[in-house]
Amino acid sequence: MFRSPSSSTAPTGSTGSTAPAGSRRPRRTAVLVAAVAAAASLTAPAVPAIARTLASAPAPGPPKPLVKQPVATGYGGAVSTVDTEASRAALDVLKDGGNAMDAAVAAGAALGVTEPFVAAIGGGGYMTYYDAKSRRVHAIDGREFAPGRMRADSFVDPATGKALPFDQAVTSGLGVGVPGTFAQWDLALRRFGSRDLDDLLRPAIRLADRGFVVDQEFRDQTAVNEARFRDIVPTRELFLPDGRLPEVGSRFRNPDLADTYRELAKRGTKWFYEGRLAEEIVRTVAKPPVDHAATRIVRPGLMESRDLAGYRALMRKATHVAYRGADVYGMPPSSSGGSTVGEALSILSNFRLDGRDPATALHYYLEASKLAYADRGRYLGDADKVDVPLEEILSSGFARERACLIKPDEAAAAPVPPGSPDGSYEPCVPPGTQTRALAFEGPQTTHLNVADRWGNVVAYTISIEQFGGSALTVPGRGFLLNNELTDFSLQPPPPGGPADPNAPGPRKRPRSSMAPTLVLKDGQPKLALGTPGGSTIITTVLQILMNRVDLGMDLPTALSFPRATQRNTPQVFAEQIFIDWYGRDLAARGHRLEVFPGPPAGVIGAATGLEILRPGLVQAVAEPVRRGGGSAMVVRPVR
């Protein structure tokens, strides 16, 4: 499918490498820790045996109520999500003659039931879509935007002049952006779907009515939120039935959400954005339904009815870079996913990555990430509101100028300064003097991929930001509202400093790292990929692409391989098994590796992907272990 690593273009005065040291299949932190103990005395060449061990390692705790299959290969269409019920909903649509966009919306609605802490209709997301009829890639922006009354200092406490404590910004009406998911579904189906929304909501309605079996992951996510959920009356009533955490093996029902979906199926988008539901959302944001006995500070938000009425999902031009003979498409601003993945790939294209020397290749990956994140922090924001030099950031000239700063045997001290994507590029430039701190992004998101029998492909990332979003449930409606506005830079820059492209502002979309990615070869789709993980999304997608394209790993191995993330911070955060395998060699080059603090601790991302192996034959791939494992399905499996 892809050009072999040996045919890559060599850089100016550089050598490099990266090896398919094999596959490890992590997803629950305890499994990762156990795997590390088993692998501690082994070197990278022994990885395949360890990968087999990890793949078969049982997750701790009670057995899962549903069997999740992480890899499926076959014909007629394919889907990969984090959840079996959502994958089944999409697969049923495909079997019934629906197309990829139809199936993606059905899966998204089902995830709103089974993954309510990350995928509610109170949030937003991004889609990239390959349309087989026109042979074009489209980007569909369903990102939330800020209310019209939002200002650059809206998150600043006037008493201190400092940004609000982060937990107070999150659990508040102030952090709630105008939801974009439902408008995005409506736009996507009108442009590319073949089924009506009411048909596609039916599987999720049935699921919400009958309920699903609680697994350990759902209970753990509820437990993380227990204290704040108890303080918000409708949230406590919904997610802490009888005042207790849901038990593993019990059935969780959400009849309020089923009724909300029924009304949406009947009344459509206008009811959500201009009708009664809009009024209820605004009331919840303006007067958070906090228990009178609670001591938690839950600030009201700035949202008004006109903000919901003015929301529109948007068609965007996807980002594009050429890489090793393939075309990589991603999400443009306000997402930084497409631009930062694209810039890092363009930097890496200046180096030959050799699977026989994995430590050197990983060194280049970490250094390219470091440089791309520096530029992300300086230049990326909502391109409808600020000037983003996107074309120059993705240009080969800028990439070579940045690549020349990478030393083959020495890591640059982080944070590194941003470059100057000004169209005038020298072979090398001296380091600058300014950089910007990495803003916090919650890692709790979800991603799904769908391909149909006609060759259409969707990569779709959905989020309400934190696990549990703002913790504000719209009373009687069964869904949580997001806290996506905390993705803005909460503290204004100091006087005289450069303007922050991600400062809050009216009707502005906060910067995101979501990176639904499509890869084409000779004009035909080959890969679809994405992951949750906040600002680690970009490095996870980048590392999987490098594993697959440069290192010759198959997609299941590339996706389950140990991960590290470098986001222009002094430390490289990594999964423990990555440190065990590569830590010594990378430390010798000056990298400081530490275990990723989470949440969840020690686990980076929870990716899903699919690959078209040949015309009609698709392999769907999900995590085997990380965060409980994912679910891959195909219409007609290969026996």
Side-chain angles (χ1 to χ4, degrees), residues 427-442:
C428 276
V429 295
T433 58
Q434 293 179 323
T435 188
R436 193 178 300 279
L438 182 70
F440 181 83
E441 288 182 70

Side-chain angles (χ1 to χ4, degrees), residues 127-194:
M127 289 180 180
T128 51
Y129 176 73
Y130 175 80
D131 178 44
K133 185 175 182 180
S134 65
R135 299 186 66 179
R136 292 181 57 197
V137 174
H138 303 268
I140 307 173
D141 185 341
R143 180 66 159 167
E144 305 87 341
F145 68 36
R149 293 192 290 153
M150 178 67 68
R151 297 293 180 263
D153 61 354
S154 289
F155 286 97
V156 173
D157 185 341
T160 65
K162 301 292 185 182
L164 295 172
F166 188 70
D167 63 331
Q168 292 183 24
V170 168
T171 308
S172 74
L174 193 60
V176 180
V178 178
T181 290
F182 200 73
Q184 184 182 37
W185 290 352
D186 178 70
L187 175 61
L189 291 174
R190 283 189 283 110
R191 289 293 302 268
F192 304 112
S194 67

Side-chain angles (χ1 to χ4, degrees), residues 130 137 325-329 518-527:
Y130 175 80
V137 174
D327 294 287
V328 181
Y329 292 89
L518 296 176
V519 180
L520 275 61
K521 177 75 171 178
D522 299 326
Q524 296 296 320
K526 289 297 181 184
L527 290 175

Side-chain angles (χ1 to χ4, degrees), residues 66 83-90 110 114 207 210-213 631 633:
L66 291 174
D83 179 73
T84 304
E85 298 280 12
S87 293
R88 284 176 177 170
T114 60
L207 182 58
R210 78 167 189 266
F212 60 92
V213 178
S631 172
M633 297 183 180

